[in-house]
Structures are given as C-alpha cells and as structure tokens.
Amino acid sequence: MDKIVSLSKRRGFVFQSSEIYGGLNGCWDYGPLGVELLRNVKDQWWQSMTYREDIEGVDAAILMHPRVWEASGHVENFTDPMVDCKECKARFRADQIEDSPCGNPAYKGRKASKCQVEGKFTEARQFNLMFKTFIGPMEDSTAVVYLRPETAQGIFVNFLNVQAASRQKPPFGIAQIGKAFRNEINTKNFLFRTREFEQMEMQFFVKGGSDEKWFEYWKEQRMAWFLRLGMTKAKLQFHRHEPDKLAHYAKDAYDIEYEFPFGWGEIEGIHNRTDFDLTRHEQYSGKSMKYYDEETKERYTPYIIETSAGASRSFMAFLVDAYREEQAPTADGKMETRVVMRLHRRLAPIKAAVFPLVNRDGMPEIARNIELALRPHFRVFYDDSGAVGRRYRRQDEAGTPYCITVDSQTLQDQTVTVRERDTMKQERIASDALGRYLRERLAE
Ligand code: ATP
C-alpha cells in the first residue's frame, strides 16, 4: 500500500486533502491522472448500466428532505458502536477492535484488543454516521438537513417520476453516480474508508416473485464488469451475508470483495431490498409509491434489487490491481526494474504519448502535428525531455497504453514506432493511420 500511496502522490493520481494545512482526515483529492482514471471508471459503469433499454439515469440533490432519512431508517439505525480509550483517548469502532492498532505511539505494534482486555475502554456508545448541517439562516433543530450517506434514496423517492417520464415498466432500473458522506469513526487504508466518497448505484424495480431471479442476474453482471475491465479473477470473490448479519431491509446480500494488500474488502454490495424502501416512503410521505400495471390492472409495490458500488473504492482496487514491478531491458542491454500500471485501456488516464526521438531535424514539428491530430479524439501527452527509455518509464507508471516515437525513418517514409505498454513490443505504423490504429485498440 505504501508504494501505491507514494506513486499516487508522485504521479498525480491522489493527493491528501488540504495537504498544506496538515491534511483533513478521511478526505482525498484526485490529481490530473486520478481525475481521468476516476472519470473513466464512472463512464464505464454508466455505459454498462444505461446503454440498455431498461435502465434510466438520474442525478438527485445531495441535500434531501430530512424525512427521507427517517423513512429510510438512517436516523434510527445508521450508527456504529464507538468506544474511547481512557488512557490515550483514541477512538475505535467497537466491532473493529480486533483489526485496529493501539492509538498510543508509546506502545508501537500493540493491538487495541490488548487494551480492551486490560479494561481501558469506555462502554460502547452508538454514533450516527450522517453529517448534519442546516438549511437556511436559522441554525435550529427545524433546519437540520443531512449530507446524503448513500445515493440510493434519491432514486427511491424519484421512482414514479422516472417511471412516468420515461414510460418504463418493471422490470426496469434507475442508475445514479454521486457523492456520499459518512462520518466514519475510523478512516483507514487510503481510499478504502473515507468520509467523502462517490457511489455508483443502480436500483432495479421488479415484481415480487421475480426478485430472486433478478438478484442472481445482477450479481453475475456486476462481477463480470470488474473482470471485463481487467481485474485479476483470483483477487475477486463473492461474500454472502449470513442471515443474522443482513441489514434490516435485506432479504439476501452479496458483497463483491477484492483482495487488497491489507486483506479482502468489499467494493460493491448487491442487495435484495424487497419492497421495504417504497413501502416506507409511502408510509412517511403519505403518497402512493405503487406501480399500476395497465395491462393486468394490478397495483403493486415493486421489489428492489440494488447494485451499490463505491467509485472511489473501485478506483483504488483498479489502481492496486494494475501495479506491477517488472524486470525490463535498458537501451544498453542491462536489466532494470520498471513500475508499470497495467490499467485496462479503457481506464487508462492518458491513451497515447508522442515523442520526438531527438529535438532536431524536424522531428519535434512532426511529433507536434501528430499530437494535434490525435488530441480531439484521445487524451494524449507530448514529451520531449530525457532519453526515450526514461520517457517510456514515465508513461508506464502513468499506465499509458501506447507510446508513439518520431525517428529518422519518419523523415523518409512518414512511419512512426508504436510501443505497447505491457508487451513493450514496437511496430511501425504510417503516421496517418495512427487515429484508426488507436481507435480500434482502445475500443477493445
Ligand atoms: P462497509 O461495511 O465497508 O462500511 P457498507 O456495507 O456500509 O460498507 P454500503 O452501504 O453497502 O457499504 O455502500 C456501498 C459501497 O459504497 C461499498 O461497497 C463501498 O464501495 C462504498 N463505500 C461505503 N462506505 C465507504 C467509505 N466510507 N469510503 C469509501 N467507500 C465507501
């Protein structure tokens, strides 16, 4: 993890939030490469979800009516048990003490569970994870609103709006990508558990009775998505929630877990939420949330199958999965270690880099023209500094799939070399065929 965190900072994937002020715990900023990677993850998800006829998109407000969170159960139930150490004042989630180190730097390497056995902890108190703020100028209890802790509720409350506007009939889904906020007691493991993060959620509305079939379908679809984007199969697994561990709304739930350097962790949850959400919103709002089927003349409350992925957690899983240290030959035949981010081409922040071999003989001008021709279609990067070997290494670390070099042969026959990131193989291509060459490969 240390290597990933340091590469992230050095290369501009992720920075600590407000770093010059010492950082803000649980918050991170995405740098130039990170913002592209994150967008690509979200775009791939959006495409896979909404480029089909049975799913529509929404983008709901982050602030919602406070009754939403009473209906959803968050005001009452969205809590974690918290304990404090009376000696060093560190704060822990009571259900994570086993995995937590002691907070006192004087006891380096000591586990928090040891302090617990020694009776240093307070009784557990329930702590609500929702961030509160006030709407309007009066900071009193009638003005309290919450920063949404999940995007799902913005979908549930819009169920009938979307259904009527798009003339969809169950089974159909609504997808949303957006920020969510949780005042986590302990943030840890880089982007894994943060206080501000992004979710990619899709709620699929089905008739009760067909819910188990659709649950299976979405479980398989979601695993296939991670695999299609190149994630290592052996590092992905399903984890089924035991019946006694199911959330209050769930009939069945699976997590898709990724094996991070610190162990297996959930990156997405697939839940059969039954008719809980729409029933609750009907009760709390007094408005019918039932669907009326014109054909069968039936009125019913749909069941919901939810796929709930963290965009930031998936980002981190893609980053970790892509990281490789490999032996590679240098220009003078020696071997050196290259760090390469084997990101799937669709996710790579920069698609191609263009280099003039040397900064003379008209090569920079030709390289600049190639860059200009490609720029409207792909994110490209121009680099003319240092030996070509070093330029390759820099692009390997950024995960750039193709490097295009203009050399002396280009001056004679208008061909360039294209070097592929993973195999490091080079081929000569006519420079005017580059657009098609890249388009074909990047679409794979
Ligand atoms: P956990 O048990 O890890 O707290 P959860 O079961 O509460 O997660 P869900 O409510 O199912 O998570 O949220 C769906 C997804 O949102 C998770 O799979 C994860 O990818 C992401 N997510 C949830 N909490 C965080 C967080 N604090 N930081 C980053 N991503 C998060």
Side-chain angles (χ1 to χ4, degrees):
M1 274 316 295
D2 289 346
K3 285 184 177 172
I4 303 276
V5 175
S6 100
L7 176 120
S8 290
K9 175 167 182 195
R10 187 161 43 82
R11 295 311 316 265
F13 282 99
V14 180
F15 308 125
Q16 207 183 2
S17 159
S18 326
E19 191 188 275
I20 58 168
Y21 291 98
L24 182 67
N25 200 300
C27 301
W28 297 88
D29 297 342
Y30 292 82
L33 292 183
V35 74
E36 293 296 330
L37 174 56
L38 184 63
R39 284 180 82 102
N40 293 341
V41 169
K42 291 188 288 187
D43 283 352
Q44 287 303 313
W45 184 89
W46 192 254
Q47 275 186 29
S48 82
M49 285 297 178
T50 66
Y51 286 20
R52 41 186 288 161
E53 64 178 352
D54 56 356
I55 299 187
E56 308 289 342
V58 289
D59 189 358
I62 287 175
L63 301 177
M64 301 180 73
H65 195 288
R67 289 280 282 169
V68 167
W69 306 108
E70 290 171 31
S72 68
H74 281 81
V75 171
E76 198 183 338
N77 294 320
F78 198 55
T79 55
D80 278 336
M82 178 174 77
V83 294
D84 291 307
C85 176
K86 288 182 250 176
E87 189 179 305
C88 75
K89 309 291 176 226
R91 193 155 270 180
F92 301 95
R93 243 173 84 169
D95 56 343
Q96 290 181 348
I97 290 175
E98 280 304 315
D99 306 324
S100 307
C102 161
N104 190 342
Y107 299 137
K108 204 161 181 272
R110 184 184 167 108
K111 290 198 157 167
S113 49
K114 190 138 193 270
C115 311
Q116 186 180 36
V117 174
E118 290 171 6
K120 292 182 185 168
F121 289 169
T122 57
E123 287 294 308
R125 288 168 293 152
Q126 289 299 328
F127 171 74
N128 195 299
L129 300 187
M130 284 197 292
F131 279 98
K132 274 187 199 160
T133 185
F134 301 95
I135 200 150
M138 299 301 286
E139 295 197 358
D140 60 26
S141 59
T142 58
V144 167
V145 289
Y146 303 97
L147 300 190
R148 66 180 176 199
E150 61 176 29
T151 56
Q153 300 300 326
I155 295 180
F156 302 145
V157 299
N158 277 305
F159 161 60
L160 286 178
N161 283 339
V162 174
Q163 184 274 319
S166 58
R167 294 171 45 236
Q168 289 277 4
K169 301 184 173 95
F172 82 96
I174 306 178
Q176 172 164 226
I177 298 178
K179 290 254 177 169
F181 304 82
R182 296 183 187 179
N183 202 357
E184 301 277 0
I185 296 169
N186 290 129
T187 59
K188 60 178 176 183
N189 293 328
F190 195 32
L191 305 175
F192 186 79
R193 187 172 302 288
T194 57
R195 295 197 165 114
E196 175 176 339
F197 55 97
E198 252 178 315
Q199 289 188 314
M200 309 185 287
E201 293 198 302
M202 194 282 299
Q203 313 291 333
F204 205 70
F205 300 85
V206 304
K207 195 162 181 203
S210 64
D211 52 314
E212 290 177 17
K213 180 187 86 184
W214 282 108
F215 182 74
E216 277 310 307
Y217 171 84
W218 280 111
K219 200 179 127 225
E220 298 309 321
Q221 288 289 312
R222 292 308 304 145
M223 180 61 99
W225 183 81
F226 287 104
L227 292 170
R228 255 197 327 273
L229 289 174
M231 224 177 244
T232 310
K233 195 167 184 193
K235 290 193 173 278
L236 285 167
Q237 70 179 20
F238 280 119
H239 163 79
R240 189 177 195 172
H241 291 212
E242 299 298 329
D244 59 330
K245 296 261 167 59
L246 283 172
H248 58 281
Y249 53 76
K251 170 172 160 186
D252 201 356
Y254 278 83
D255 293 339
I256 296 179
E257 294 185 335
Y258 181 78
E259 191 177 17
F260 290 98
F262 48 82
W264 290 94
E266 170 189 338
I267 48 177
E268 171 156 356
I270 297 106
H271 309 124
N272 182 342
R273 303 183 64 114
T274 68
D275 57 0
F276 175 84
D277 307 283
L278 295 180
T279 305
R280 291 279 286 202
H281 284 303
E282 185 167 293
Q283 284 167 1
Y284 279 72
S285 68
K287 304 268 163 38
S288 169
M289 296 299 280
K290 292 191 177 61
Y291 169 73
Y292 180 66
D293 188 328
E294 297 278 357
E295 273 166 42
T296 61
K297 310 288 175 220
E298 226 184 328
R299 197 177 288 282
Y300 65 90
T301 308
Y303 271 44
I304 294 175
I305 307 302
E306 165 180 79
T307 70
S308 172
S312 2
R313 260 196 213 171
S314 305
F315 170 102
M316 178 168 141
F318 282 118
L319 208 61
V320 167
D321 202 61
Y323 184 90
R324 301 279 196 296
E325 287 175 13
E326 298 174 351
Q327 290 303 302
T330 60
D332 50 11
K334 296 202 193 90
M335 294 304 270
E336 67 171 6
T337 304
R338 75 162 183 155
V339 170
V340 54
M341 297 300 286
R342 286 181 174 248
L343 290 165
H344 190 281
R345 280 173 271 207
R346 292 184 181 211
L347 299 182
I350 298 169
K351 304 302 183 193
V354 186
F355 311 149
L357 182 65
V358 290
N359 283 317
R360 55 182 150 77
D361 303 336
M363 289 184 211
E365 290 74 16
I366 298 174
R368 280 287 186 199
N369 282 338
I370 291 175
E371 179 211 349
L372 284 179
L374 296 177
R375 240 192 220 296
H377 311 285
F378 313 103
R379 263 200 82 84
V380 290
F381 184 81
Y382 181 87
D383 190 2
D384 61 6
S385 67
V388 165
R390 297 211 64 75
R391 289 183 244 170
Y392 282 152
R393 294 289 171 270
R394 286 200 287 264
Q395 294 308 315
D396 288 345
E397 276 191 341
T400 308
Y402 297 103
C403 291
I404 298 158
T405 306
V406 170
D407 56 18
S408 50
Q409 197 178 323
T410 315
L411 308 176
Q412 282 144 33
D413 63 8
Q414 286 82 50
T415 64
V416 292
T417 66
V418 181
R419 179 252 199 197
E420 200 273 332
R421 177 194 69 201
D422 298 346
T423 59
M424 295 187 281
K425 287 217 175 88
Q426 300 188 14
E427 51 180 327
R428 286 208 84 83
I429 308 284
S431 60
D432 59 5
L434 274 171
R436 187 152 50 93
Y437 179 94
L438 293 177
R439 233 186 324 277
E440 280 170 11
R441 280 157 186 79
L442 292 168
E444 276 169 17

